[in-house]
Amino acid sequence: MTTDFPIHEQVALGELLEELGRLRLCEAAALTAMERSLVTVGQITPLVVHAAARGYEVLDGFKRLRAARSLGWTCLWAQVVRVGAVQAKLQLCQSNRAGGLTEIEEAWVVRSLYREDGLTQPEIGRLMARSKSWVNRRLALAEAHGDELQGDL
């Protein structure tokens, strides 16, 4: 019997990629609070990452990573999960299911799955355990706002 235990590694910050960070908001106050926390108590929770062609793509822990970079740290602990591109985006949502994603962030994930990964709205709904109607509303939200407004977010 084999069991896949989570793999935890100490990863150099230069190996951590933030491509999926475009699907998350990062408020300055939250980043400052994370910096204070890292200085005061250190890293409590590992990042969640998956292996990518050029390093490790971050799925959860963008504030921790940005704060560590700001503080001049050289590495962080990370839990490495084995997932593909679509599953990585779903993991990003799952890691933040307890209210961590805003509606616009959910919309960006849905749009990415729809436009970049070519999934249908019913497929996205099944994968995210949501209705096709919910997916359609999130997609409309993401596409209703221009790039300039979304850039401001």
Side-chain angles (χ1 to χ4, degrees):
M1 182 169 116
T2 61
T3 305
D4 285 335
F5 291 104
I7 300 169
H8 289 84
E9 296 180 16
Q10 198 167 27
V11 180
L13 296 191
E15 294 182 64
L16 294 168
L17 309 171
E18 294 184 71
E19 173 63 25
L20 295 178
R22 65 188 165 78
L23 303 175
R24 297 298 316 268
L25 296 171
C26 186
E27 298 175 359
L31 186 58
T32 300
M34 180 57 68
E35 288 173 1
R36 276 194 310 266
S37 175
L38 287 177
V39 168
T40 305
V41 296
Q43 183 185 2
I44 297 170
T45 308
L47 306 178
V48 177
V49 302
H50 78 101
R54 301 179 333 249
Y56 292 101
E57 181 63 47
V58 176
L59 308 178
D60 185 49
F62 296 103
K63 284 189 292 276
R64 278 169 274 163
L65 173 56
R66 291 170 186 162
R69 284 189 172 140
S70 174
L71 294 169
W73 287 21
T74 59
C75 58
L76 286 170
W77 283 99
Q79 176 184 350
V80 182
V81 296
R82 294 182 182 105
V83 296
V86 169
Q87 291 81 16
K89 293 171 187 169
L90 295 171
Q91 177 74 38
L92 184 146
C93 290
Q94 187 63 37
S95 296
N96 294 283
R97 182 68 60 141
L101 291 182
T102 64
E103 289 180 356
I104 192 68
E105 289 170 318
E106 290 173 340
W108 291 339
V109 171
V110 167
R111 181 180 60 189
S112 178
L113 290 167
Y114 185 71
R115 298 280 180 218
E116 297 167 18
D117 300 305
L119 299 180
T120 66
Q121 292 182 33
E123 287 173 320
I124 295 168
R126 279 192 302 279
L127 291 170
M128 296 183 80
R130 301 289 190 158
S131 69
K132 180 183 178 266
S133 175
W134 181 91
V135 171
N136 186 271
R137 288 191 308 273
R138 288 300 186 267
L139 186 58
L141 175 63
E143 296 188 339
H145 303 295
D147 291 338
E148 183 177 327
L149 174 62
Q150 291 192 27
D152 289 342
L153 288 173

